[in-house]
């Protein structure tokens, strides 16, 4: 039968590489029959979800026969008041990932160019490939820092978007406020900056910016945030963009009406006000990061100091094998191959106990 059929997919989607998620706990458990599995692969909050969110969810379960609010009015109002932007400057999405797709759909024509620092988050490439845009990769500079001028040099007449992830996944490095301002001012009028601040809450450097001040000032910037990381709601899929009104109108056009489910909306509206949960999470992250740094130094393993909740560790040519051996011990981290970092792994900062198990396991492997 199938020989007579010629269903042709769009050419551009052949360039799409499958996303490689962190291995789920249940999968490793069922593959290897392990009792204890520790996942430090997806930068999730090791303390769990915001308790405010859990309480709100419990109260909302009996309403899920209703469609969600297509305008996400309550959630936008809560985020707006918390972050001092206007509700009209917010678009709520099915995870931050959906915002990246929507921005790509709104602004990229086939043959347009999108500038992406490398290594960085893979979803920018996904959006570009979906639309048939050309990806211009710019390697990060020394110690994986951003070099704004090298990026500006790559701008052509076809450039539509420049992506910046700050703190950057997977390196944990960030772009300073002065450098973001320099970039925004140097760019031609028709280039949009997609500024991904999924980890902004973890960044404490004085010269860090989450980009919102530039949204308020009306620069051509889309600031991405998510409830998946510090707020602990990765499983519900909710994130948002903060965007000047004259730009957001285009993105809203391609959004599906019910893109964010009712439970996600309710949980996020509660979590955004859960200052205690955020505070505890940040404290735990700072301690955990120190714990990892100390152990990595003892093992003489180079790493990049991170402004975030993960650490990029250089293991050398055996990195892939070390990654596999960690899996054998029930410890899931992320192997760097997908970022073209074959000698590295990225480890999320876990609880004290999880970090200990990782350190112990890695120590045993490095000594054998
Ligand atoms: C986690 C993450 C996101 C968004 O994730 P969602 O779960 O889709 O909200 C966006 N950018 C980066 C760099 C991330 O690490």
């Amino acid at each position: 039968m199938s020989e007579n059929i010629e269903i042709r997919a769009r050419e551009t989607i052949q360039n799409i590489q499958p996303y490689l998620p962190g291995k789920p706990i249940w999968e490793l458990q069922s593959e290897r029959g392990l009792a204890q599995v520790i996942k430090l692969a997806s930068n999730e909050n090791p303390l769990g979800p915001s308790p405010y969110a859990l309480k709100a969810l419990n109260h909302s379960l009996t309403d899920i026969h209703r469609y969600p609010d297509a305008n996400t009015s309550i959630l936008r109002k809560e985020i707006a008041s918390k972050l001092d932007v206007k509700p009209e400057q917010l678009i709520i999405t099915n995870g931050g990932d959906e915002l990246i797709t929507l921005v790509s759909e709104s602004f990229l024509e086939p043959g347009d160019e999108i500038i992406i620092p490398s290594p960085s988050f893979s979803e920018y490439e996904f959006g570009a490939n979906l639309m048939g845009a050309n990806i211009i990769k710019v390697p990060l500079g020394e110690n994986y820092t951003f070099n704004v001028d090298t990026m500006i040099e790559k701008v052509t007449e076809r450039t539509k978007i420049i992506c910046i992830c700050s703190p950057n996944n997977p390196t944990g490095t960030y772009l300073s406020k002065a450098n973001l301002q320099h970039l925004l001012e140097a760019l031609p009028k028709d280039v949009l900056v997609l500024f991904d601040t999924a980890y902004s809450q973890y960044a404490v450097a004085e010269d860090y910016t989450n980009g919102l001040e530039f949204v308020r000032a009306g620069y051509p910037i889309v600031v991405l945030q998510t409830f998946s990381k510090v707020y602990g709601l990765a499983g519900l899929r909710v994130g948002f963009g903060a965007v000047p009104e004259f730009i957001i109108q285009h993105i809203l056009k391609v959004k599906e009406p019910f893109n964010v489910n009712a439970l996600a909306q309710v949980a996020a509206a509660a979590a955004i006000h859960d200052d205690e949960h955020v505070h505890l999470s940040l404290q735990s992250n700072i301690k955990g990061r120190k714990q990892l740094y100390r152990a990595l130094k003892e093992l003489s393993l180079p790493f990049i100091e991170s402004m975030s909740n993960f650490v990029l560790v250089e293991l050398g040519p055996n990195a892939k094998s070390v990654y596999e051996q960690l899996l054998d011990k029930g410890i899931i981290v992320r192997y760097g191959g997908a970022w073209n970092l074959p000698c590295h792994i990225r480890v999320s900062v876990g609880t004290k106990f999880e970090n200990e198990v990782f350190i112990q396991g890695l120590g045993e492997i490095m000594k054998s």
Side-chain angles (χ1 to χ4, degrees):
M1 179 71 194
S2 59
E3 309 74 278
N4 306 324
I5 300 176
E6 271 188 56
I7 308 293
R8 299 238 318 272
R10 289 166 59 230
E11 242 168 64
T12 177
I13 68 171
Q14 315 204 354
N15 297 325
I16 297 177
Q17 302 293 326
Y19 181 78
L20 296 171
K23 196 182 252 304
I25 291 175
W26 61 264
E27 192 177 294
L28 190 65
Q29 266 170 341
S30 72
E31 274 173 13
R32 326 216 172 181
L34 292 160
Q36 175 185 276
V37 168
I38 280 170
K39 184 181 176 204
L40 299 173
S42 302
N43 309 334
E44 295 146 341
N45 187 331
L47 304 189
S50 148
Y52 281 24
L54 290 180
K55 198 163 157 213
L57 284 170
N58 270 326
H59 286 295
S60 307
L61 291 173
T62 50
D63 289 331
I64 58 169
H65 59 303
R66 303 287 178 200
Y67 275 94
D69 172 11
N71 294 319
T72 56
S73 309
I74 294 174
L75 178 53
R76 282 192 300 120
K77 188 170 127 288
E78 299 301 335
I79 296 172
S81 74
K82 189 75 184 177
L83 299 184
D84 188 25
V85 292
K86 293 187 208 149
E88 298 76 29
Q89 294 172 328
L90 294 171
I91 174 170
I92 315 294
T93 53
N94 187 15
D97 287 356
E98 190 197 16
L99 179 67
I100 298 170
T101 307
L102 296 179
V103 167
S104 308
E105 289 170 348
S106 316
F107 301 107
L108 295 176
E109 306 275 10
D112 280 347
E113 291 174 2
I114 173 168
I115 295 177
I116 305 180
S118 173
S120 193
F121 191 49
S122 64
E123 288 302 288
Y124 317 132
E125 286 186 44
F126 169 77
N129 282 326
L130 193 60
M131 302 315 295
N134 294 331
I135 297 162
I136 310 297
K137 282 200 199 177
V138 181
L140 292 175
E142 209 181 321
N143 292 324
Y144 302 106
T145 52
F146 288 94
N147 188 334
V148 175
D149 288 317
T150 351
M151 278 184 276
I152 294 168
E153 277 166 25
K154 299 285 179 189
V155 172
T156 72
E157 270 159 29
R158 300 245 46 183
T159 307
K160 282 286 187 63
I161 298 176
I162 292 195
C163 301
I164 306 257
C165 184
S166 177
N168 185 43
N169 179 3
T171 57
T173 48
Y174 69 99
L175 183 75
S176 71
K177 175 180 162 179
N179 276 329
L180 177 58
Q181 178 139 17
H182 171 49
L183 176 68
L184 286 165
E185 272 159 22
L187 288 175
K189 273 194 233 129
D190 54 355
V191 179
L192 180 66
V193 174
L194 175 57
F195 197 60
D196 184 340
T197 65
Y199 301 97
S200 62
Q201 294 86 359
Y202 296 99
V204 293
E206 292 244 327
D207 60 346
Y208 175 76
T209 176
N210 61 12
L212 292 175
E213 59 201 297
F214 296 99
V215 173
R216 289 180 209 113
Y219 283 89
I221 185 170
V222 172
V223 168
L224 178 155
Q225 294 216 350
T226 178
F227 286 92
S228 296
K229 306 288 157 56
V230 78
Y231 298 107
L233 302 178
L236 282 178
R237 313 303 305 126
V238 51
F240 61 93
V243 195
E245 282 133 290
F246 68 98
I247 300 172
I248 205 168
Q249 53 167 330
H250 304 298
I251 312 173
L252 286 167
K253 279 203 176 153
V254 299
K255 176 186 98 61
E256 287 184 31
F258 303 113
N259 61 329
V260 183
N261 75 75
L263 295 178
Q265 291 192 33
V266 160
I272 191 94
H273 294 297
D274 198 340
D275 294 337
E276 191 186 351
H277 177 256
V278 170
H279 177 72
L280 292 174
S281 304
L282 298 185
Q283 292 308 108
S284 156
N285 185 61
I286 289 171
K287 279 194 206 151
R289 219 166 40 194
K290 278 197 192 136
Q291 185 188 359
L292 291 175
Y293 287 173
R294 216 180 304 122
L296 294 169
K297 277 183 191 149
E298 269 170 35
L299 292 168
S300 304
L301 292 171
F303 60 88
I304 304 292
E305 294 236 357
S306 172
M307 265 292 147
S308 198
N309 67 342
F310 51 83
V311 183
L312 187 67
V313 186
E314 188 177 343
L315 297 179
N318 295 330
K320 177 112 197 253
S321 149
V322 176
Y323 161 77
E324 301 280 353
Q325 291 173 69
L326 284 168
L327 285 181
D328 293 337
K329 291 177 183 288
I331 303 160
I332 312 172
V333 299
R334 197 66 79 88
Y335 174 56
W339 293 295
N340 213 1
L341 294 171
C343 298
H344 289 74
I345 56 165
R346 188 198 67 194
V347 57
S348 306
V349 179
T351 61
K352 188 172 180 212
F353 172 73
E354 290 169 330
N355 299 333
E356 252 163 36
V357 173
F358 164 73
I359 290 164
Q360 169 99 32
L362 183 63
E364 285 166 11
I365 296 166
M366 297 312 288
K367 272 163 207 150
S368 68

